[in-house]
Amino acid sequence: MSRDGYAPGAAAGAHVEKHGQRWTLALVRDLHHPPEKVWRALTDPKELHEWAPFDADRNLGVTGQATLTTVGAPTTQVSETYITRAEEPRLLEYSWGGNDIRWELEPVGKGTRLKLWHSIDKRYVAMGAAGWHLCLDVLGRLLDGRPIGRIVGGAAMRFDWKRLNAEYSKQFGVDEKQPDSPT
């Protein structure tokens, strides 16, 4: 597992959907793997441990209660969540820290178009986009058999998180936030 040579590309593949005061961050990535393989990476705790900003206490591919624990945050946050929809290998919905998360997997040729919707406070939408950008890069490399280990929290600062945050802030037309550590 080597991070040598990894640098995230420009902010892309994301937009914001506004519904009154409610904002939803939407990200789209095309992956070179079938939906079944991507589904495992989204639901299996061992695979989540390699790329996601949280650890899960169980497989997320089944509806019901689960515990998600943030990784790399200044203060560990444990969130009790409920997986509301798990339709393998195409749709996964749950809440994380009080925000709704929806993953949609669509077969595209031999690969998958991955769509993520994350309801998020307007103040943090660019920060969230920058964090998910890095996580999805790491996910893509994991699926390609070139794992580099998850990049979250303070570690993200060493991988152009601040640049991504600034780029997404500009794209979304929001004020740029610069926390001590991204979430």
Side-chain angles (χ1 to χ4, degrees):
M1 174 170 42
S2 173
R3 294 179 175 180
D4 294 342
Y6 168 69
H15 68 276
V16 176
E17 298 174 4
K18 303 170 193 173
H19 307 282
Q21 295 299 329
R22 189 169 172 90
W23 284 47
T24 301
L25 171 63
L27 295 106
V28 178
R29 285 284 176 101
D30 286 337
L31 302 168
H32 305 290
H33 303 278
E36 294 78 13
K37 185 172 183 175
V38 177
W39 177 265
R40 279 190 304 277
L42 297 179
T43 58
D44 183 287
K46 289 179 186 172
E47 293 202 35
L48 287 164
H49 183 77
E50 297 298 319
W51 71 270
F54 55 77
D55 282 326
D57 71 332
R58 69 166 185 86
N59 189 298
L60 303 181
V62 178
T63 59
Q65 209 61 34
T67 302
L68 304 180
T69 305
T70 58
V71 177
T75 304
T76 300
Q77 297 173 358
V78 178
S79 300
E80 294 302 318
T81 189
Y82 193 86
I83 289 75
T84 54
R85 292 178 74 182
E87 299 171 13
E88 184 178 353
R90 61 174 208 83
L91 180 65
L92 179 64
E93 292 182 352
Y94 54 89
S95 64
W96 178 40
N99 296 310
D100 295 331
I101 302 282
R102 176 185 172 102
W103 299 92
E104 191 174 297
L105 288 70
E106 174 187 343
V108 176
K110 293 181 180 180
T112 301
R113 176 157 296 139
L114 174 69
K115 298 177 184 175
L116 165 62
W117 287 270
H118 181 173
S119 68
I120 192 166
D121 188 296
K122 174 185 175 182
R123 296 172 295 170
Y124 305 111
V125 70
M127 292 170 42
W132 281 118
H133 183 118
L134 293 172
C135 287
L136 294 178
D137 277 2
V138 173
L139 170 62
R141 286 175 174 254
L142 174 68
L143 292 170
D144 289 343
R146 301 178 297 129
I148 59 173
R150 64 179 155 199
I151 299 173
V152 296
M157 296 296 189
R158 296 187 301 274
F159 293 94
D160 278 347
W161 182 91
K162 286 183 179 185
R163 175 187 54 82
L164 287 169
N165 182 42
E167 290 174 7
Y168 283 118
S169 294
K170 185 175 181 179
Q171 284 182 25
F172 302 154
V174 297
D175 291 334
E176 185 178 335
K177 301 282 184 195
Q178 290 291 333
D180 293 334
S181 178
T183 54

